Amino acid sequence: MLIFLIVLISVFAVVFAVMSLTAVIKKPSSVFKDRPEEQNPMQGKMVVFVENETEPENADGVRGHLEAIADSCHKAGIYEAVVKRSLDIILSFCGLVVLSPVFAFLSLWIMIDDPGPVLFTQKRIGKDKQYFKLHKFRSMKMDTPHNVPTHMLENPEQYITKSGRFIRAHSLDELPQIWDIFIGNMSVIGPRPALWNQDLLTSERDKWKANDIKPGLTGWAQINGRDELEIPVKARLDGEYVEKESFFFDCRCFIGTVFSVARGEGVVEGGTGEMKKKEK
C-alpha cells in the first residue's frame, strides 16, 4: 500500500511539473500584449460609458464607447494574491486530472457531431481589463459567423450542434477554462469575464471595482441569476463579491454553483438580460 501511494504521488508530481512548465511556456501567448493594436487601450484605467447613437452597436446592444477617467489603483491583499492563487492552482490541477475522461468524451462527441476543432477561443476582459484568450468547448457549427456573439446572431439556434445544446445547457462548454485558471488568467471564483466589446458591462463593473480582480469560472452573480440578470444588477452583484471576497465567501459561491448547475438555472440563449426582454 505504501509503495502504491509513493508511486501515485510520484506520478502526480511529474504530471504537475509537466503541466506547470507548459503553463509557463503558454502564458505569454494567452494574453494580448505583444502588439499595440491587440492591447486594450483601457487596460489599467477606470472608465465610463459615453452613449453615441452614430457608433456601431456593441455586444451589450447599445451604441457608444468607453472613456478613461483615471488610473486603477487596486492593490491585491494577501488572500487574493497568495491564498486564492494557491487554491486556484490546486483546484484547477485536480480538476484537469479528475475530469480528463470527461474532456476526452466531450472532445470525441464534438468531433463526430460536427467535424472540426474541439476548442475555440474568445477575446475576453481579464484583470485590470487586459485582453486574454478564453477557451471553450465548441458548441456551434463550423459555418457559424466568426467573432459574432451568440446573442447577436440571427436565429442562433440554427448554429448550435446537438452536442453543443447539451454541453451549453449543463455549462460543460466552460470546462476548458479550468486551464485558463491553472495558467493564471482566471480564478475559480470571480466575475464572469466580459466580452472585449461589452462596454456597458465593463463601465458598470468599474463603479463597483469588479474589473480589478481576476474573472472567474463562476461567481456571486452566476448563482443569483446568470444570463437573465440586467447589466446594472449583474455589475452590482460582482461588486458585492469584490467587497466580500474571502475564503468562506468563495466556498459559498462554489457550493451555490454546484446546486445552480445541477438545476440548470439561469442559462438563457440571447445574452445578458434576455429573460427580462422576453418578459417585456
Side-chain angles (χ1 to χ4, degrees), residues 23-42:
V24 171
I25 296 173
K26 294 289 186 180
K27 174 66 175 179
S29 63
S30 70
V31 295
F32 296 86
K33 66 175 185 178
D34 294 331
R35 291 179 295 188
E37 64 270 20
E38 291 183 338
Q39 299 172 13
N40 185 359
M42 299 300 166

Side-chain angles (χ1 to χ4, degrees), residues 130-233:
Q130 182 181 41
Y131 291 150
F132 76 99
K133 298 175 184 178
L134 175 140
H135 295 83
K136 282 189 172 187
F137 275 126
R138 181 171 62 87
S139 59
M140 308 192 82
K141 299 176 181 178
M142 289 297 296
D143 60 354
T144 304
H146 190 57
N147 283 334
V148 179
T150 303
H151 65 276
M152 297 186 75
L153 292 170
E154 184 176 349
N155 186 19
E157 285 290 333
Q158 67 178 312
Y159 296 108
I160 301 176
T161 61
K162 293 180 180 178
S163 58
R165 188 166 289 106
F166 176 84
I167 64 177
R168 288 164 78 101
H170 296 86
S171 299
L172 297 176
D173 57 326
E174 312 287 357
L175 287 181
Q177 290 159 47
I178 298 176
W179 171 254
D180 296 326
I181 296 170
F182 187 77
I183 206 173
N185 290 329
M186 291 179 61
S187 181
V188 175
I189 309 295
R192 283 296 296 160
L195 291 166
W196 67 273
N197 58 345
Q198 282 190 281
D199 293 341
L200 185 57
L201 176 59
T202 299
S203 64
E204 287 293 320
R205 280 178 168 172
D206 255 14
K207 296 177 182 178
W208 304 93
K209 303 184 185 302
N211 292 312
D212 294 339
I213 64 174
K214 288 182 182 179
L217 181 63
T218 184
W220 186 233
Q222 288 295 99
I223 63 175
N224 283 282
R226 297 184 69 172
D227 291 337
E228 70 262 32
L229 293 174
E230 294 287 280
I231 285 176
V233 178

Side-chain angles (χ1 to χ4, degrees), residues 47-58 60-67 199-200 203-204 207 232:
V47 300
V48 293
F49 181 74
V50 179
E51 293 188 31
N52 187 335
E53 290 300 320
T54 65
E55 297 184 23
E57 185 176 292
N58 63 29
D60 288 325
V62 294
R63 300 176 185 273
H65 62 276
L66 293 174
E67 289 188 2
D199 293 341
L200 185 57
S203 64
E204 287 293 320
K207 296 177 182 178

